Amino acid sequence: MSATTEYLASAVRVDAPPAILLDKVNKWFGSLHVLRDVCLNVATGERVVVCGPSGSGKSTLIRCINRLEIHQEGRIIVNGTELSDDIRALDEIRREVGMVFQSFNLFPHLTILENCTLAPIWVRNMPKQEAEALAMEYLTRVRIPEQAKKYPGQLSGGQQQRVAIARALCMKPKIMLFDEPTSALDPEMIKEVLDTMIGLAETGMTMICVTHEMGFARTVADRVVFMDQGEIVETGAPTQLFENPQTDRLKLFLSQILRGH
Amino acid sequence: MSGMTLDGTAPAAPRTPPLSQIGALGWMRANLFSSWMNGALTLVIGYLIVRWALGFFDWAFANAIWSVPNNQTQVCRDLKGIGACWAVITEKHRFILFGTYPYEQHWRPALCIVLFVALYIVSAMRRFWRKELALVWIATLGVIGVLMWGGVLGLPYVPQERWGGLVITLILATFGLAFAFPLAILVALGRRSKLPAIKALCVLYVELIRGVPLISLLFMASVMFPLFLPEGMNIDKLLRAQIAIILFAGAYLAEVVRGGLQALPRGQYEAAEALGLSYWQKTGFIILPQALRLVIPPLVNTFIGFFKDTSLVLIIGIFDLLTAGKTAIIEPAWQGFGIEVYLTVGAIYFVFCFAMSMYSQRLEAELNRHRRS
């Protein structure tokens, strides 16, 4: 395990340009201040885990990165392009940023294969055969190629989430966002999804993952960000953060999580 | 459950339920004679149904008169209440189907009816659901227009005022729904638009049209609208009625479609957006296919309603199927045979509506197969 961690840590190119840059981002839902002066810098190839109590703004944070939520103040720069009202810039960013949702959000009226090939064909203008070959490659990588002709409703939750990962990867994104990918899964299915994500991390993908899975954070994360009440309270390497928390808020959070497990 | 019983012997072979619980006997016990009261009710209602059915059979078939020579309807009148006078249908069926269309040209509206029905059948088959189907529709509707109007290819010109009967009903319903449905989808999408002007326009359209009866809309189209046109300019009366029907159906269908759009979870929109699909790709591939499947029952409900509502054009003097039927029995010799005519016209409406209803049930089952896991 420690060998993997070391390997992963060395894979980060510290000198690489930032993949994602958040500068004093603020967001309100009505009068509720959900993101407060959030600054975060994610390097290319870096794997960041965001954790925090529910309602702390962590999901909102990563949903701002591909503009499923619109921030109201501050700047967000993804792969050198700033998020703004410019639709063309947004399309470009969304092509490069894959997202996996808590509730899978597969398209129930399309087969697994069609779920995976739709965006490559229509957004990347890839020929159908090439898109299908690519989809089968990623479905094989998440270990469910035999389900390609089925519909999402016929698969288990863990299988659906692995399809969702494959679907995002078929767009060959440079960055992957995970929004609590295991929170809606039965315990016995969490591991298969986490294993898939660990496998993905080993390829050097830039990842931001909102999760409560501390084991995953220790294995994969270069950095853990702890959020509470819309603020980033602490950030650091997983071992440092979990074993030597500096703030009371993080200490409280960790004790609650440990009690829960 | 394990295959062994508690004492270690093999499990007993499964037995069939007692005879009194299954089959026709079991069904009757459960549904018709479950108690004293229900048994008595079953017998009474059964007796009434059988008596009425026998009476109807006598009237409609056994004692019926199928044709009379030279409008000599006295035979029919003598049998009033005892036997049906289907002779009125034999005599007037052409008028009911084709209205006042020139007699020797009746093959043209007849062919149009056949074309309409063929178009419905082809469109109903999923294996023909391709882009080419749109061309087939355009071509067929074009051919129908040429056939009805004539004036080219050696066909004598027939003015619209002389069209009538079933073909008018089919024209109004088919063109009406074929244009209203796409309009409805656009309006439903517009009502959920983030652009305030588009949204306001769509809300205004739906609320305005829904707020008035179809009859008043038809009146406006036929009486008021021409007043605003410049002198000498005239738009065909049928076309004006057709546009009124399209606008009316569009508003109702838009609300049905919007119901489907609203039923989709937000995650579907977000997943499509996160993959980088454009608005129209997202709408065309993800949102509409799911939303429309959800609303097949209310959609077909509205379709059937509008098929029958086309009969309201009678108030502006267009001879649809129902009006043609009514007019057929104005002639003194045939007065008083309304029941026979209305039964026939009703049967024609029923065939079309029932076909729509049956088809929608099948389509629903087929398209929602993926939801069964």
Side-chain angles (χ1 to χ4, degrees):
Chain A
M1 189 64 99
S2 66
T4 327
T5 322
E6 265 169 50
Y7 158 75
L8 288 173
S10 67
V12 179
R13 284 162 287 161
V14 186
D15 55 329
I20 301 168
L21 191 115
L22 283 81
D23 184 22
K24 293 218 165 139
V25 171
N26 277 283
K27 175 162 181 65
W28 291 263
F29 285 132
S31 60
L32 191 66
H33 202 173
V34 283
L35 292 180
R36 307 181 185 196
D37 284 335
V38 171
C39 295
L40 184 66
N41 199 338
V42 180
T44 302
E46 195 179 14
R47 289 160 292 263
V48 174
V49 163
V50 183
C51 63
S54 70
S56 59
K58 48 197 196 310
S59 282
T60 309
L61 174 73
I62 73 164
R63 287 161 60 86
C64 279
I65 293 171
N66 63 356
R67 214 167 169 81
L68 289 181
E69 304 286 358
I70 297 170
H71 62 286
Q72 285 136 335
E73 266 180 25
R75 303 171 71 202
I76 299 178
I77 298 169
V78 181
N79 279 330
T81 312
E82 177 162 3
L83 279 175
S84 64
D85 290 332
D86 180 359
I87 290 184
R88 226 172 275 161
L90 179 61
D91 284 345
E92 199 176 305
I93 287 169
R94 282 182 173 164
R95 274 199 292 274
E96 305 298 335
V97 179
M99 185 160 201
V100 175
F101 298 86
Q102 179 177 351
S103 49
F104 327 138
N105 293 349
L106 293 179
F107 305 130
H109 63 302
L110 300 178
T111 63
I112 299 306
L113 190 63
E114 288 165 343
N115 263 280
C116 293
T117 56
L118 183 74
I121 290 175
W122 292 96
V123 181
R124 289 239 186 258
N125 297 318
M126 196 182 277
K128 192 172 175 225
Q129 286 192 328
E130 197 182 319
E132 285 181 351
L134 182 74
M136 287 313 292
E137 186 190 320
Y138 281 112
L139 285 174
T140 309
R141 209 195 281 181
V142 299
R143 300 191 314 280
I144 33 176
E146 71 283 357
Q147 313 280 11
K149 295 285 174 215
K150 288 193 182 167
Y151 286 96
Q154 296 167 302
L155 269 56
S156 73
Q159 289 174 322
Q160 288 194 46
Q161 194 59 299
R162 284 185 281 148
V163 172
I165 295 173
R167 176 176 72 176
L169 290 176
C170 281
M171 282 295 285
K172 302 214 167 160
K174 297 199 175 83
I175 299 167
M176 283 288 282
L177 307 174
F178 292 86
D179 188 4
E180 304 205 32
T182 56
S183 300
L185 294 175
D186 291 334
E188 73 270 24
M189 292 172 185
I190 291 178
K191 188 174 177 299
E192 63 186 60
V193 171
L194 289 182
D195 285 347
T196 307
M197 290 167 62
I198 292 169
L200 181 62
E202 284 166 1
T203 66
M205 173 72 74
T206 310
M207 290 165 67
I208 301 188
C209 183
V210 173
T211 184
H212 293 293
E213 296 294 332
M214 293 306 142
F216 173 77
R218 280 173 196 273
T219 316
V220 163
D222 300 306
R223 193 145 55 106
V224 175
V225 171
F226 171 66
M227 286 185 76
D228 190 26
Q229 294 176 4
E231 298 176 301
I232 293 183
V233 179
E234 263 187 67
T235 104
T239 39
Q240 174 204 331
L241 209 79
F242 294 147
E243 274 145 38
N244 194 12
Q246 301 297 308
T247 57
D248 289 341
R249 287 201 262 182
L250 179 54
K251 280 176 197 160
L252 178 69
F253 175 69
L254 289 175
S255 72
Q256 280 167 343
I257 281 213
L258 291 177
R259 214 184 307 141
H261 277 247
Chain B
M1 292 287 143
S2 77
M4 303 285 272
T5 44
L6 284 176
D7 56 2
T9 58
R15 292 189 300 133
T16 52
L19 258 183
S20 61
Q21 304 294 316
I22 53 167
L25 211 64
W27 183 88
M28 279 167 69
R29 241 182 120 103
N31 293 296
L32 299 178
F33 300 101
S34 57
S35 73
W36 235 100
M37 188 64 187
N38 287 348
L41 268 176
T42 300
L43 291 177
V44 170
I45 293 171
Y47 169 75
L48 289 176
I49 290 176
V50 168
R51 250 197 83 168
W52 183 86
L54 287 177
F56 182 78
F57 180 82
D58 280 347
W59 176 81
F61 300 101
N63 302 330
I65 293 173
W66 300 91
S67 67
V68 293
N70 305 324
N71 293 351
Q72 300 297 313
T73 51
Q74 197 50 46
V75 208
C76 281
R77 295 195 190 282
D78 295 341
L79 269 177
K80 198 107 190 145
I82 303 167
C85 181
W86 297 120
V88 65
I89 306 300
T90 317
E91 179 69 24
K92 297 288 185 188
H93 71 276
R94 285 224 187 185
F95 187 83
I96 294 172
L97 290 178
F98 310 126
T100 52
Y101 210 83
Y103 190 84
E104 60 285 359
Q105 300 293 329
H106 274 179
W107 61 273
R108 280 156 58 180
L111 188 57
C112 288
I113 293 172
V114 172
L115 281 174
F116 271 125
V117 172
L119 191 60
Y120 304 150
I121 292 176
V122 168
S123 312
M125 290 195 234
R126 285 189 70 196
R127 86 183 103 120
F128 293 122
W129 287 10
R130 291 187 239 127
K131 285 190 193 102
E132 293 84 341
L133 190 59
L135 297 177
V136 172
W137 267 77
I138 293 169
T140 313
L141 296 182
V143 168
I144 285 170
V146 168
L147 274 172
M148 290 303 290
W149 263 298
V152 286
L153 304 171
L155 297 171
Y157 171 71
V158 178
Q160 184 269 308
E161 286 73 25
R162 302 202 57 183
W163 303 6
L166 177 60
V167 79
I168 283 281
T169 296
L170 294 184
I171 287 174
L172 286 173
T174 310
F175 280 89
L177 294 175
F179 284 93
F181 189 44
L183 172 72
I185 289 175
L186 290 179
V187 172
L189 292 172
R191 244 193 123 154
R192 291 169 59 87
S193 168
K194 284 180 196 132
L195 306 169
I198 292 183
K199 187 174 174 172
L201 201 68
C202 293
V203 172
L204 191 73
Y205 162 69
V206 169
E207 298 305 338
L208 216 57
I209 300 275
R210 269 202 314 185
V212 295
L214 177 56
I215 290 192
S216 66
L217 214 59
L218 287 170
F219 256 129
M220 273 191 261
S222 92
V223 181
M224 273 174 62
F225 185 67
L227 299 180
F228 300 115
L229 285 180
E231 194 91 16
M233 189 181 163
N234 189 25
I235 301 179
D236 190 77
K237 182 161 73 172
L238 185 66
L239 183 62
R240 278 184 269 135
Q242 182 74 79
I243 291 172
I245 286 179
I246 290 172
L247 290 177
F248 199 69
Y252 276 86
L253 289 172
E255 287 300 280
V256 172
V257 173
R258 193 166 68 95
L261 294 177
Q262 233 134 0
L264 274 201
R266 201 167 143 221
Q268 292 291 309
Y269 292 83
E270 289 177 349
E273 279 165 25
L275 282 169
L277 295 177
S278 71
Y279 175 81
W280 290 110
Q281 289 169 341
K282 173 181 75 175
T283 306
F285 295 130
I286 308 301
I287 306 306
L288 281 179
Q290 295 187 68
L292 294 182
R293 275 165 218 225
L294 285 174
V295 294
I296 289 175
L299 214 50
V300 174
N301 196 25
T302 316
F303 275 22
I304 289 178
F306 271 97
F307 183 76
K308 293 176 298 179
D309 280 356
T310 54
S311 58
L312 288 174
V313 294
L314 84 99
I315 62 137
I316 55 168
I318 295 175
F319 277 61
D320 75 308
L321 176 60
L322 185 62
T323 319
K326 246 167 120 174
T327 317
I329 44 174
I330 282 181
E331 204 182 320
W334 295 102
Q335 268 173 12
F337 298 109
I339 297 178
E340 288 84 347
V341 169
Y342 286 127
L343 272 178
T344 308
V345 169
I348 295 174
Y349 276 112
F350 181 78
V351 166
F352 282 98
C353 294
F354 189 64
M356 269 194 264
S357 158
M358 282 288 102
Y359 176 67
S360 88
Q361 281 181 27
R362 227 188 58 203
L363 190 67
E364 210 183 319
E366 243 173 74
L367 287 181
N368 288 327
R369 205 177 283 157
H370 66 270
R371 286 207 281 172
R372 271 187 273 137
S373 47

